[in-house]
Amino acid sequence: MNTVTNTAVKTIALSVLLALSSQAFATPERGLEIAKERKNRDQGWKDSVATMEMVLKNAQGESSTRAMRLKSFEVADDGDKGLTIFDQPRDVKGTAFLNHSHTVDADDQWLYLPALKRVKRISSRNKSGPFMGSEFAYEDLSSFELEKYTFNYLNDEDIGGLSAYLLEQVPTDKNSGYTKQLVWLDKEHYRPIKVEFYDRKGALLKTLQFNDYKQYLNQYWRAHTMAMVNHQTGKSTLLTTSDLAFQTGLKEKDFEKNVLKRVK
């Protein structure tokens, strides 16, 4: 066997061993333990109201900007509820999206289109579709619930100057647009730093980066900048929060389907 062939064989063998080693050390028990701690640290916030800006950018670098508000409501023993209202520009003003996340069942989602004056229900089969033309899918807008995934702890890594846990999350919903997600959580606060989304063919589809974290009520961390990049299309979406308030007095009735046509 010549030197080149011998080197190639050794390289392939090493790659196989590293892959097998990675699988061998992937521990579901540790992964679930870390995910539970992440969930436990973000309970009890009750409700919040955020003022946000969404910047859509295509592969050529052309961009458009939307102003929006996000109201959120924490639900005990089930997924949270969210209401997104678009205020600008004129062509999307009054558009509203209502999301009822669930721990086990498929999420309930509705989109109100003011031009048509009707409420459109988002089918669970269409949850992998783009939300308002952005790089966020409808399923990305669901609250983080343990029952939505199986977990594997893969490794410890340093990312962005932070020591982090690397977890693999595999969606349990057959209608998910993802085969898996790789999630980096910082060890100190269990905040997501980066998420990689892999499509139904197992190829890297998108990367979501969380930045500009701020703490509220001495406990709850929220990223004020979230950047989603689609590696397959070259498009991106930047979500920036300019104002955020917790425990504003919102009630569960503020998130009923019939509020969509009356949002202001």
Side-chain angles (χ1 to χ4, degrees):
M1 184 180 295
N2 61 43
T3 303
V4 174
T5 304
N6 188 38
T7 301
V9 169
K10 287 182 178 179
T11 301
I12 293 171
L14 179 59
S15 298
V16 172
L17 285 172
L18 288 172
L20 292 174
S21 175
S22 175
Q23 293 174 7
F25 286 106
T27 57
E29 296 83 3
R30 181 63 175 142
L32 180 58
E33 179 185 345
I34 293 169
K36 282 182 176 179
E37 182 63 20
R38 172 189 174 182
K39 182 67 177 178
N40 289 338
R41 290 193 180 206
D42 197 49
Q43 291 184 327
W45 49 269
K46 296 182 180 179
D47 69 78
S48 66
V49 178
T51 302
M52 308 178 76
E53 181 181 80
M54 174 187 281
V55 178
L56 310 178
K57 187 176 291 187
N58 64 21
Q60 289 71 45
E62 300 167 332
S63 64
S64 60
T65 303
R66 297 169 177 175
M68 53 193 275
R69 288 168 287 144
L70 173 60
K71 299 180 180 181
S72 303
F73 186 81
E74 186 179 29
V75 180
D77 302 320
D78 200 3
D80 301 330
K81 297 183 178 182
L83 177 62
T84 304
I85 305 162
F86 287 87
D87 296 318
Q88 291 180 357
R90 184 180 298 179
D91 61 343
V92 297
K93 181 179 174 61
T95 301
F97 172 69
L98 180 63
N99 180 62
H100 290 182
S101 299
H102 300 296
T103 53
V104 178
D105 298 329
D107 296 344
D108 292 308
Q109 298 179 323
W110 301 270
L111 186 67
Y112 174 64
L113 303 168
L116 302 177
K117 295 183 178 180
R118 74 180 186 92
V119 175
K120 173 187 176 183
R121 184 180 180 90
I122 307 300
S123 166
S124 59
R125 293 182 179 180
N126 296 328
K127 65 191 300 182
S128 61
F131 170 64
M132 294 292 289
S134 74
E135 297 315 301
F136 288 84
Y138 284 99
E139 66 179 298
D140 300 337
L141 307 179
S142 177
S143 61
F144 174 70
E145 306 298 334
L146 297 171
E147 294 82 359
K148 290 182 181 292
Y149 307 96
T150 59
F151 299 93
N152 271 317
Y153 162 72
L154 300 182
N155 205 351
D156 287 357
E157 288 191 6
D158 289 333
I159 179 170
L162 297 172
S163 182
Y165 299 113
L166 173 57
L167 297 188
E168 177 190 63
Q169 295 180 175
V170 177
T172 55
D173 189 339
K174 64 180 181 180
N175 291 314
S176 174
Y178 311 121
T179 52
K180 68 176 181 180
Q181 301 168 12
L182 296 184
V183 183
W184 284 260
L185 300 172
D186 81 85
K187 289 185 176 182
E188 183 177 3
H189 301 295
Y190 289 77
R191 304 170 302 188
I193 304 300
K194 183 173 83 167
V195 181
E196 290 182 350
F197 300 84
Y198 291 78
D199 66 17
R200 287 171 176 156
K201 295 181 180 180
L204 177 61
L205 175 62
K206 303 183 298 188
T207 298
L208 176 60
Q209 294 271 3
F210 298 81
N211 291 294
D212 303 326
Y213 268 102
K214 292 181 174 58
Q215 190 180 39
Y216 293 86
L217 305 178
N218 297 315
Q219 181 177 355
Y220 308 109
W221 292 93
R222 293 293 183 270
H224 278 236
T225 304
M226 291 181 284
M228 182 78 87
V229 176
N230 189 314
H231 301 288
Q232 297 182 9
T233 65
K235 297 179 180 180
S236 65
T237 299
L238 180 66
L239 280 177
T240 305
T241 300
S242 58
D243 189 52
L244 179 58
F246 281 83
Q247 299 181 4
T248 64
L250 291 172
K251 306 296 182 184
E252 195 159 8
K253 66 180 181 180
D254 297 321
F255 296 83
E256 294 176 353
K257 180 184 173 184
N258 59 17
V259 307
L260 282 171
K261 294 183 179 180
R262 307 195 307 268
V263 294
K264 293 181 180 179

